Amino acid sequence: MNYDVFISEAEVFINGSLQKSNLGIKDGLITYIGDQLYEAEQKINGQGQWVLPGLIDSQVHFREPGLIHKEDLMTGTKAAALGGITAILEMPNTKPSTSTKVSFEEKMSLAKNRCYVDYGFFIGATHENVNELKNLQNLPGCCGIKIFMGSSTGSLLLDDDQDLENVIAQTSAPISVHCEDERRLLDRKHLAENSKNVLSHPEWRDEESAFIATAKVVGLAKKYNRPVHVLHISSKKEIEFLEQAKDHNITVECLPQFLTLYAPDCYEKLGTRPQMNPPVRSVEHYQALLRALKNGVIDVIGSDHAPHTLEEKAKEYPQSPSGMPGVQTIVNLMLDKVLSGTITLERMLSLLCFKPIEIFKIKNRGPIQKGQVATLTIVDPNSKTTLMDQDMATKCGWTPYHGQTFKGKVSTTIISGQIVMQNGKILKNPIGQPLIYNRS
Ligand code: DOR
């Protein structure tokens, strides 16, 4: 048998653990797992490497259309492939917002043949489209509905309680929610405006702002027996609440940023670069989130890749925009958590692969087994990576981790049997396809 790609002598994640094995790929599928060696068009020496199911970043902002000086679908997905991410779910706070059939279909056509990894797009919920969402959610390529309960980058906002309840009650697609209470944000904005200092960012957008919104949306999910995915949990209070309140309908996302950075240190070192919504908070929140990472309250890690140029970031706070890039570094940051003993590899794969597949009902993705689509992330656990601004493919060209070294290295990204990235080089034209979903 001649394979298209053959990976030899790797540690392959099969049936819940790493097993020494060879892996053959033909016509985009995994067709051999075993100890025989075979010929292939392309061979990968897998010695010492971990072959993992393709990792997924379920929260990115790629800025196309409208803000492509920050990022576009090509540069964003190139950064994803370089970082070992094989699929992205992209947010609707573009310009215009992706909240109508026309804007959604335009994004799908912009993505065609321009994405290096597979992709899904969210449709944004607005006051105007509440009653149309039950149709919009079924547009081909739509991974779910995004609700901004508090305003952030862009104009998307759903701050009316009745609108929020209607969206939850009337739709069936996965819903990802940005939980910050708009009224409280408006009431407290003077704190940021008066201080003009980014150190007040977590004071303006305080943990109560996040908690009010999280508690509200969790209550509605229970009332309507409706799954809701709570994005970027940032505070101890939300974690303590979710530890009690979480049930089968509630899933929780956290970000690598909140598990690596804390205030005031990050703002003192990096100024407005780590400014984001919700904010990076003090060390007690960081510790609570790390506990939740270990004990399972957190289901998913997303990057919330939110590129802004350094010129924009250099504006005086609070004119400086919120958000950090992260799609290229998420795998490395989480791999470091595995190699440092904070979490197991199995847990990392749940956070970055199996839970996103389950929550968003992604078809044709899953554990490594014969017959499965050959979409894989290969990492070298014995190597290290120093993250550098100049190695970032994002148009914004920086990372909050510039100069820092993390354990492990992403070595290869394989999508549908094609080696898209190897050793830091993109080897293929964009071959990413829209993800498909098991939703009725
Ligand atoms: O900090 C953030 N930046 N939070 C968001 O919710 C949006 C994001 C962006 O798109 O810039």
Side-chain angles (χ1 to χ4, degrees):
M1 180 74 182
N2 205 345
Y3 290 91
D4 298 333
V5 176
F6 199 84
I7 307 169
S8 58
E9 298 188 41
E11 299 283 332
V12 186
F13 193 85
I14 314 168
N15 296 330
S17 66
L18 289 172
Q19 296 179 28
K20 183 106 179 188
S21 189
N22 303 325
L23 191 144
I25 297 171
K26 184 84 185 160
D27 298 329
L29 301 180
I30 298 168
T31 52
Y32 178 77
I33 300 174
D35 52 15
Q36 303 288 318
L37 283 170
Y38 290 102
E39 282 308 311
E41 300 289 315
Q42 290 178 288
K43 292 186 192 172
I44 296 176
N45 178 354
Q47 262 183 350
Q49 310 225 32
W50 292 352
V51 178
L52 311 175
L55 303 181
I56 297 168
D57 188 345
S58 47
Q59 196 196 168
V60 302
H61 304 265
F62 281 168
R63 315 299 190 202
E64 187 169 0
L67 295 161
I68 57 173
H69 67 286
K70 298 180 200 265
E71 197 75 286
D72 62 38
L73 291 162
M74 275 187 105
T75 54
T77 55
K78 184 182 274 189
L82 285 165
I85 288 293
T86 60
I88 53 93
L89 303 184
E90 204 262 353
M91 288 296 167
N93 57 332
T94 43
K95 208 172 167 190
S97 302
T98 315
S99 56
T100 61
K101 184 168 188 283
V102 169
S103 59
F104 191 89
E105 287 175 346
E106 191 201 338
K107 198 186 261 189
M108 286 296 285
S109 75
L110 286 168
K112 201 165 184 200
N113 301 326
R114 289 180 61 239
C115 291
Y116 289 89
V117 303
D118 295 338
Y119 51 91
F121 297 131
F122 286 91
I123 188 96
T126 64
H127 176 68
E128 289 71 33
N129 76 6
V130 169
N131 295 320
E132 286 167 58
L133 278 172
K134 52 186 172 300
N135 300 323
L136 296 173
Q137 68 183 1
N138 296 324
L139 287 168
C142 181
C143 58
I145 297 163
K146 169 71 182 277
I147 296 176
F148 279 91
M149 290 175 73
S151 34
S152 189
T153 302
S155 56
L156 270 178
L157 181 64
L158 200 74
D159 61 346
D160 179 271
D161 284 355
Q162 192 57 54
D163 284 345
L164 178 70
E165 184 151 353
N166 288 346
V167 173
I168 289 174
Q170 293 169 11
T171 60
S172 56
I175 304 190
S176 288
V177 191
H178 177 122
C179 295
E180 287 186 288
D181 182 68
E182 180 67 3
R183 190 159 316 139
R184 189 167 169 96
L185 294 182
L186 290 173
D187 284 350
R188 297 172 63 83
K189 186 147 195 212
H190 64 276
L191 294 170
E193 282 166 348
N194 294 345
S195 84
K196 299 189 180 356
N197 187 336
V198 69
L199 282 168
S200 65
H201 198 56
E203 196 190 338
W204 165 29
R205 306 180 82 112
D206 66 346
E207 75 170 318
E208 196 60 27
S209 310
F211 173 73
I212 292 169
T214 293
K216 190 180 284 177
V217 87
V218 165
L220 290 171
K222 286 178 188 288
K223 178 170 174 188
Y224 291 99
N225 191 22
R226 168 82 167 94
V228 164
H229 186 50
V230 182
L231 293 172
H232 40 47
I233 285 294
S234 62
S235 71
K236 187 169 175 222
K237 189 162 179 182
E238 286 167 289
I239 287 296
E240 285 170 355
F241 166 72
L242 287 163
E243 266 167 350
Q244 302 304 320
K246 237 182 115 185
D247 64 13
H248 64 284
N249 278 322
I250 317 294
T251 50
V252 174
E253 182 207 60
C254 192
L255 314 178
Q257 294 89 309
F258 296 154
L259 301 163
T260 48
L261 307 174
Y262 43 84
D265 299 41
C266 68
Y267 302 116
E268 283 162 358
K269 284 193 197 117
L270 298 167
T272 55
R273 290 188 193 194
Q275 175 195 330
M276 63 169 297
N277 304 330
V280 179
R281 306 186 193 279
S282 67
V283 76
E284 66 168 325
H285 299 283
Y286 159 85
Q287 283 164 347
L289 293 164
L290 267 182
R291 269 200 309 281
L293 178 72
K294 291 186 210 172
N295 72 14
V297 173
I298 293 167
D299 299 285
V300 170
I301 297 288
S303 74
D304 198 5
H305 178 82
H308 298 285
T309 66
L310 287 176
E311 201 183 339
E312 291 161 341
K313 277 289 196 183
K315 288 184 187 165
E316 186 177 61
Y317 179 82
Q319 278 77 46
S320 44
S322 290
M324 296 178 240
V327 72
Q328 193 173 335
T329 52
I330 180 173
V331 175
N332 217 159
L333 294 175
M334 296 316 294
L335 186 58
D336 182 89
K337 296 273 185 233
V338 173
L339 296 168
S340 306
T342 307
I343 53 169
T344 62
L345 176 62
E346 201 177 353
R347 176 95 172 103
M348 173 180 126
L349 295 179
S350 176
L351 294 159
L352 286 174
C353 176
F354 300 127
K355 269 291 180 176
I357 290 172
E358 188 186 313
I359 293 166
F360 295 98
K361 299 186 165 56
I362 301 172
K363 225 175 181 167
N364 297 338
R365 291 285 188 125
I368 295 178
Q369 56 193 20
K370 257 174 86 173
Q372 181 65 269
V373 175
T375 294
L376 304 165
T377 301
I378 308 182
V379 302
D380 181 351
N382 300 307
S383 203
K384 287 186 176 151
T385 306
T386 302
L387 297 173
M388 301 297 282
D389 288 348
Q390 58 270 30
D391 296 332
M392 298 295 122
T394 169
K395 272 195 192 172
C396 75
W398 62 277
T399 162
Y401 304 101
H402 175 69
Q404 284 189 51
T405 301
F406 294 90
K407 291 182 179 157
K409 193 178 193 76
V410 175
S411 57
T412 308
T413 305
I414 300 181
I415 306 216
S416 300
Q418 307 213 37
I419 305 174
V420 169
M421 187 285 290
Q422 198 165 28
N423 298 325
K425 300 252 173 324
I426 295 285
L427 305 179
K428 283 270 182 291
N429 288 327
I431 57 153
Q433 294 295 317
L435 292 166
I436 39 180
Y437 309 94
N438 280 315
R439 302 203 310 261
S440 48

